[in-house]
Amino acid sequence: DNSNSNPAKTDNNKQDSADADKNKTNSDANSNNVNKDNGTNANNSTAKSEDSNKQSSDVPTDNVLPDGWNADHTQYVKDGKLVTGVQSIDGTYYDFDNNHNIVKDDYVESQWGTWYMFGNDGKIATKVTPWSGTYYYFDPLTYLRVDNNYVQSQWGDWYMFGDNGQIATKVTPWAGTYYYFDPLTYLRVDNNYVQSQWGDWYMFGNDGRIVSGLTEWYGATYYFDPSTYLKVTNTVENINGYYYYFDDSGRLVSWAQYPSDLTADAKATLAIQTASQFLGQGYVQGGNNPQTGFDCSGLVQYAYGVAGVQLPRLSEQQYYATMPIDGSQARRGDLVFFSRTYNDGSNFDPKSMTQVGIYLGNGKMLDAQGNGIVVENVSDFGQSYPTYYGRVLNF
């Protein structure tokens, strides 16, 4: 029935077995043997072709995979096996977890114990890289995280990275000094007066370093303490043998070689500074110098003497050496007197001044009394004694 569609094979089948053995060609014999081996009908024209290609078309087993990336670029095969750990691929490095999946956007420990960052594309990270809400920097040669260093980014800008590798903001110590990095741009701040993370304000110069000493800024001169780096206010500083007075804004107001040549405000400030050095010390009757201690008038005389103002020794003498003023007119550096704080049987004069202090402003004074050298409210002391004010005549 199939003789018309496959005549050659039909003709062979018509021969009896004896004739077939005699007349078979080598080619026919080979063909029949192949058919027998495969257990297929000779009519299957693809049998020989399928047999010759069978070995190359087998599906690989799990342990023998084609090298390279899988279809979705999440796994990689090397030497027929799925890889794990850090691998050199296509001129860079990738990391694969224990399940053979590529690691992306994570900072992980390698098989050698070192830690590396891998980006959103799975490639090992270099230079500035965002991660976990901040930025890190990874060395372009070693790929290791850079800590406590000031480095140039891939965009040309320079950034500071701290001890924990995170990009630095605000005041940051480095190379024996301090710098300030803007919290928004992360760039170093130069020649500006800025607030630190602790609330204090600091000045940073043209080279970014924190400033100390005399500094020019916006047409004025300021002074920053060499130990604390804080701007001084209401202070007289002795700098290189000269006295400089800085007002309550920190601006340099006046300066002189000798305290006696300072302005009235500067002298008052220096007197208050001097007296403040002894806060907390005890009261010493008749004391008038740092070695033996102070009583009230001894402290006032010493403090103003340092400021270049000579005052008499006793409270009452000091009162008559000043110009009486009303309490409403009192300002820093004026003197506050109290009458008849004690009575030895001779001083019945209402203006017999037996106590004196230095007025600080805002209703406070600095004085030496029974509790020692303190700052207290004028009203607390004066509620029991008549109170008077005097302006030092030398001012």
Side-chain angles (χ1 to χ4, degrees), residues 264-265 267-272 300 304 311 322 325 330-336 357-361 364 390-392 395:
D265 285 343
K267 291 176 183 177
T269 298
L270 183 53
I272 292 171
V300 170
Y304 275 95
L311 289 175
T322 62
I325 58 173
R331 59 182 176 83
R332 291 177 76 252
D334 288 335
L335 300 183
V336 187
I358 304 174
Y359 187 66
L360 303 178
K364 295 186 178 296
R391 185 153 295 157
V392 179
F395 278 37

Short mmCIF file of all heavy atoms in Angstrom, two decimals, residues 264-265 267-272 300 304 311 322 325 330-336 357-361 364 390-392 395:
data_model
loop_
_atom_site.label_atom_id
_atom_site.label_comp_id
_atom_site.label_asym_id
_atom_site.label_seq_id
_atom_site.Cartn_x
_atom_site.Cartn_y
_atom_site.Cartn_z
N ALA A 264 35.86 103.03 78.95
CA ALA A 264 35.17 102.73 80.20
C ALA A 264 34.55 101.34 80.17
O ALA A 264 34.66 100.57 81.14
CB ALA A 264 34.11 103.79 80.48
N ASP A 265 33.91 100.98 79.08
CA ASP A 265 33.29 99.66 78.99
C ASP A 265 34.33 98.55 79.07
O ASP A 265 34.11 97.51 79.69
CB ASP A 265 32.51 99.53 77.68
CG ASP A 265 31.21 100.30 77.69
OD1 ASP A 265 30.76 100.66 78.79
OD2 ASP A 265 30.66 100.55 76.60
N LYS A 267 37.27 98.73 80.57
CA LYS A 267 37.77 98.65 81.95
C LYS A 267 36.78 97.90 82.85
O LYS A 267 37.18 97.06 83.67
CB LYS A 267 38.02 100.05 82.49
CG LYS A 267 39.19 100.78 81.85
CD LYS A 267 39.30 102.20 82.39
CE LYS A 267 40.42 102.96 81.71
NZ LYS A 267 40.49 104.36 82.18
N ALA A 268 35.51 98.21 82.71
CA ALA A 268 34.49 97.51 83.51
C ALA A 268 34.51 96.02 83.21
O ALA A 268 34.42 95.19 84.12
CB ALA A 268 33.12 98.11 83.22
N THR A 269 34.64 95.68 81.94
CA THR A 269 34.68 94.27 81.54
C THR A 269 35.89 93.57 82.13
O THR A 269 35.78 92.44 82.65
CB THR A 269 34.69 94.15 80.01
OG1 THR A 269 33.48 94.71 79.49
CG2 THR A 269 34.80 92.70 79.57
N LEU A 270 37.05 94.22 82.08
CA LEU A 270 38.26 93.60 82.61
C LEU A 270 38.17 93.43 84.13
O LEU A 270 38.61 92.41 84.68
CB LEU A 270 39.47 94.45 82.24
CG LEU A 270 40.84 93.91 82.67
CD1 LEU A 270 41.04 92.48 82.18
CD2 LEU A 270 41.96 94.82 82.16
N ALA A 271 37.56 94.40 84.82
CA ALA A 271 37.39 94.30 86.27
C ALA A 271 36.49 93.12 86.63
O ALA A 271 36.77 92.35 87.55
CB ALA A 271 36.82 95.59 86.83
N ILE A 272 35.40 92.95 85.87
CA ILE A 272 34.48 91.83 86.13
C ILE A 272 35.17 90.50 85.83
O ILE A 272 35.03 89.52 86.58
CB ILE A 272 33.20 92.00 85.29
CG1 ILE A 272 32.40 93.20 85.79
CG2 ILE A 272 32.36 90.73 85.32
CD1 ILE A 272 31.24 93.59 84.90
N VAL A 300 37.02 94.37 95.23
CA VAL A 300 36.73 95.46 94.29
C VAL A 300 38.00 96.24 93.97
O VAL A 300 38.27 96.56 92.80
CB VAL A 300 35.65 96.38 94.88
CG1 VAL A 300 35.52 97.65 94.03
CG2 VAL A 300 34.31 95.65 94.95
N TYR A 304 39.58 96.28 90.05
CA TYR A 304 39.68 97.53 89.29
C TYR A 304 41.12 97.96 89.11
O TYR A 304 41.47 98.62 88.13
CB TYR A 304 38.85 98.63 89.96
CG TYR A 304 37.41 98.56 89.51
CD1 TYR A 304 36.47 97.88 90.27
CD2 TYR A 304 37.00 99.16 88.34
CE1 TYR A 304 35.15 97.79 89.85
CE2 TYR A 304 35.69 99.08 87.91
CZ TYR A 304 34.77 98.39 88.66
OH TYR A 304 33.47 98.30 88.24
N LEU A 311 41.32 102.52 93.18
CA LEU A 311 40.26 102.82 94.15
C LEU A 311 40.81 102.71 95.57
O LEU A 311 41.74 101.95 95.82
CB LEU A 311 39.09 101.84 93.98
CG LEU A 311 38.23 101.99 92.73
CD1 LEU A 311 37.21 100.86 92.66
CD2 LEU A 311 37.53 103.33 92.69
N THR A 322 33.25 107.52 94.03
CA THR A 322 32.39 107.32 92.85
C THR A 322 31.33 108.38 92.78
O THR A 322 31.06 109.10 93.76
CB THR A 322 31.72 105.94 92.90
OG1 THR A 322 30.88 105.88 94.05
CG2 THR A 322 32.75 104.83 92.97
N ILE A 325 24.63 107.43 91.62
CA ILE A 325 23.64 107.33 90.55
C ILE A 325 22.42 106.58 91.08
O ILE A 325 22.50 105.87 92.09
CB ILE A 325 24.19 106.58 89.30
CG1 ILE A 325 24.66 105.17 89.68
CG2 ILE A 325 25.30 107.36 88.64
CD1 ILE A 325 25.05 104.31 88.51
N ALA A 330 21.99 102.15 86.60
CA ALA A 330 23.16 101.29 86.78
C ALA A 330 23.45 100.45 85.54
O ALA A 330 22.55 99.98 84.85
CB ALA A 330 22.93 100.38 87.98
N ARG A 331 24.73 100.28 85.25
CA ARG A 331 25.17 99.44 84.13
C ARG A 331 26.37 98.61 84.58
O ARG A 331 26.91 98.81 85.67
CB ARG A 331 25.53 100.30 82.91
CG ARG A 331 26.62 101.32 83.14
CD ARG A 331 26.83 102.12 81.85
NE ARG A 331 27.79 103.20 81.99
CZ ARG A 331 29.11 103.07 81.91
NH1 ARG A 331 29.64 101.88 81.72
NH2 ARG A 331 29.91 104.12 82.02
N ARG A 332 26.77 97.68 83.74
CA ARG A 332 27.88 96.79 84.09
C ARG A 332 29.10 97.58 84.51
O ARG A 332 29.52 98.52 83.84
CB ARG A 332 28.26 95.90 82.88
CG ARG A 332 27.24 94.88 82.52
CD ARG A 332 27.65 94.09 81.29
NE ARG A 332 28.69 93.09 81.59
CZ ARG A 332 29.95 93.19 81.23
NH1 ARG A 332 30.37 94.24 80.56
NH2 ARG A 332 30.81 92.24 81.54
N GLY A 333 29.66 97.18 85.63
CA GLY A 333 30.87 97.83 86.10
C GLY A 333 30.64 98.87 87.17
O GLY A 333 31.60 99.29 87.84
N ASP A 334 29.40 99.32 87.33
CA ASP A 334 29.11 100.23 88.44
C ASP A 334 29.24 99.47 89.76
O ASP A 334 29.24 98.23 89.78
CB ASP A 334 27.70 100.82 88.30
CG ASP A 334 27.61 101.84 87.17
OD1 ASP A 334 28.66 102.42 86.82
OD2 ASP A 334 26.51 102.03 86.61
N LEU A 335 29.32 100.24 90.86
CA LEU A 335 29.44 99.61 92.17
C LEU A 335 28.13 99.71 92.94
O LEU A 335 27.37 100.68 92.78
CB LEU A 335 30.56 100.28 92.98
CG LEU A 335 31.95 100.22 92.35
CD1 LEU A 335 33.00 100.84 93.30
CD2 LEU A 335 32.35 98.78 92.00
N VAL A 336 27.83 98.66 93.72
CA VAL A 336 26.63 98.62 94.55
C VAL A 336 27.08 98.64 96.01
O VAL A 336 27.90 97.80 96.42
CB VAL A 336 25.80 97.35 94.27
CG1 VAL A 336 24.46 97.42 95.02
CG2 VAL A 336 25.57 97.16 92.78
N GLY A 357 29.80 95.67 96.12
CA GLY A 357 29.91 94.64 95.08
C GLY A 357 29.99 95.29 93.71
O GLY A 357 29.77 96.50 93.56
N ILE A 358 30.29 94.51 92.69
CA ILE A 358 30.37 95.00 91.31
C ILE A 358 29.08 94.62 90.59
O ILE A 358 28.70 93.44 90.55
CB ILE A 358 31.58 94.39 90.57
CG1 ILE A 358 32.87 94.68 91.32
CG2 ILE A 358 31.65 94.93 89.14
CD1 ILE A 358 34.08 93.99 90.73
N TYR A 359 28.41 95.63 90.03
CA TYR A 359 27.13 95.38 89.35
C TYR A 359 27.40 94.72 88.00
O TYR A 359 28.24 95.15 87.21
CB TYR A 359 26.38 96.69 89.17
CG TYR A 359 24.98 96.51 88.62
CD1 TYR A 359 24.01 95.86 89.36
CD2 TYR A 359 24.64 96.96 87.34
CE1 TYR A 359 22.73 95.67 88.87
CE2 TYR A 359 23.36 96.79 86.85
CZ TYR A 359 22.41 96.14 87.61
OH TYR A 359 21.14 95.96 87.12
N LEU A 360 26.63 93.63 87.71
CA LEU A 360 26.80 92.86 86.48
C LEU A 360 25.72 93.13 85.44
O LEU A 360 25.83 92.68 84.30
CB LEU A 360 26.80 91.36 86.80
CG LEU A 360 27.86 90.88 87.79
CD1 LEU A 360 27.69 89.38 88.03
CD2 LEU A 360 29.26 91.20 87.30
N GLY A 361 24.69 93.87 85.85
CA GLY A 361 23.54 94.05 84.97
C GLY A 361 22.45 93.05 85.30
O GLY A 361 22.68 92.05 85.98
N LYS A 364 21.93 91.77 89.01
CA LYS A 364 22.87 90.88 89.69
C LYS A 364 24.18 91.60 90.01
O LYS A 364 24.55 92.57 89.34
CB LYS A 364 23.14 89.63 88.85
CG LYS A 364 21.92 88.75 88.66
CD LYS A 364 22.28 87.47 87.95
CE LYS A 364 21.06 86.56 87.81
NZ LYS A 364 20.53 86.12 89.11
N GLY A 390 27.07 103.62 92.69
CA GLY A 390 28.07 104.64 92.36
C GLY A 390 28.80 104.27 91.09
O GLY A 390 29.06 103.09 90.82
N ARG A 391 29.11 105.29 90.28
CA ARG A 391 29.89 105.09 89.05
C ARG A 391 31.32 105.52 89.32
O ARG A 391 31.55 106.61 89.82
CB ARG A 391 29.28 105.88 87.91
CG ARG A 391 29.94 105.66 86.57
CD ARG A 391 28.98 105.90 85.43
NE ARG A 391 27.89 104.94 85.44
CZ ARG A 391 26.70 105.15 84.88
NH1 ARG A 391 26.43 106.31 84.30
NH2 ARG A 391 25.77 104.21 84.94
N VAL A 392 32.23 104.68 88.98
CA VAL A 392 33.64 104.97 89.26
C VAL A 392 34.04 106.24 88.52
O VAL A 392 33.88 106.33 87.30
CB VAL A 392 34.52 103.79 88.87
CG1 VAL A 392 36.00 104.09 89.15
CG2 VAL A 392 34.09 102.53 89.60
N PHE A 395 36.17 106.54 85.25
CA PHE A 395 35.62 106.13 83.94
C PHE A 395 35.29 107.36 83.14
O PHE A 395 34.30 107.71 82.82
CB PHE A 395 34.37 105.24 84.15
CG PHE A 395 34.75 103.80 84.44
CD1 PHE A 395 35.85 103.48 85.19
CD2 PHE A 395 33.98 102.77 83.95
CE1 PHE A 395 36.18 102.17 85.47
CE2 PHE A 395 34.30 101.45 84.21
CZ PHE A 395 35.42 101.15 84.98
#
